[in-house]
């Protein structure tokens, strides 16, 4: 078509700018198709066509880039959700494990304490049923327990021998020597035997 080279928007621009009609534009083109004016018009038409093609290319590139970014954003969102979900699950598992472990430790401690109390009770029952005078000292050589035979022999009541009070039943001349022997045996962690005088309820001392 003879009008194909003239871009339609450019014709519209001529009509709106200088008031030419479609017929006037065609007539002027037929009278002087090679004039500088029509060459400029054709060149402008070509430039507009190239610009339109470039804009279309840029639009496609923009759409493609936008789609790629959208897909990447979607992937990041899914990854973030998975990480957050996994973190929540791990925290929940650790929390439940900590509670179960704490309950287990509490039960084990209670059972150990109960077993210790039963062992001590059995020991005291056995100690009270015999004929030996039994006392227990801690690391500082303070008395923590004497059996019933000891209390009956010395005439002391319950708790009268606690701490350092047990030494009041030992003859004054034997106390330092007895303490020295006990300290040496404790430091060396060995058994020992010794003789010392112990007070009776009437105030007399017996070996």
């Amino acid at each position: 078509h003879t009008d194909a080279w003239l871009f339609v928007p450019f014709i519209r621009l001529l009509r709106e700018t200088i008031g030419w009609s479609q017929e006037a534009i065609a007539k002027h083109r037929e009278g002087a198709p090679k004039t500088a004016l029509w060459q400029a018009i054709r060149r402008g038409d070509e430039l507009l066509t190239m610009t339109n093609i470039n804009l279309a290319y840029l639009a496609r590139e923009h759409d493609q880039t936008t789609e790629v970014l959208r897909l990447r954003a979607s992937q990041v969102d899914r990854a973030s959700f998975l990480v957050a979900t996994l973190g929540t699950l791990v925290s929940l598992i650790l929390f439940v494990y900590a509670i179960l472990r704490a309950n287990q430790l509490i039960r084990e401690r209670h059972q150990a304490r109960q077993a210790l109390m039963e062992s001590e009770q059995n020991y005291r029952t056995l100690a009270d049923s015999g004929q030996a005078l039994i006392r227990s000292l801690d690391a500082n050589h303070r008395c923590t327990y004497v059996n019933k035979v000891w209390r009956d022999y010395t005439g002391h009541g319950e708790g009268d021998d606690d701490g350092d009070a047990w030494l009041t039943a030992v003859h004054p001349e034997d106390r330092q020597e007895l303490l020295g022997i006990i300290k040496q045996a404790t430091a060396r962690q060995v058994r020992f035997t010794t003789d010392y005088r112990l007070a009776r309820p009437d105030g007399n001392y017996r070996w």
Side-chain angles (χ1 to χ4, degrees), residues 57-132:
Y57 172 77
L58 292 176
R60 289 194 300 271
E61 288 292 319
H62 172 73
D63 293 340
Q64 293 176 359
T65 303
T66 301
E67 181 65 18
V68 170
L69 293 177
R70 187 187 65 80
L71 291 175
R72 291 181 179 177
S74 178
Q75 292 173 355
V76 171
D77 291 341
R78 288 196 296 269
S80 299
F81 175 77
L82 291 176
V83 171
T85 303
L86 181 61
T88 302
L89 290 176
V90 171
S91 299
L92 181 61
I93 292 173
L94 291 177
F95 178 73
V96 172
Y97 172 78
I99 292 178
L100 294 177
R101 181 57 177 166
N103 290 335
Q104 181 182 1
L105 292 176
I106 292 174
R107 287 195 301 270
E108 290 177 354
R109 182 178 180 182
H110 177 73
Q111 293 173 356
R113 181 177 297 178
Q114 188 68 24
L116 179 61
M117 293 176 60
E118 293 177 357
S119 176
E120 290 180 351
Q121 185 61 40
N122 292 336
Y123 168 76
R124 293 184 180 186
T125 301
L126 180 62
D128 290 342
S129 64
Q131 300 298 319

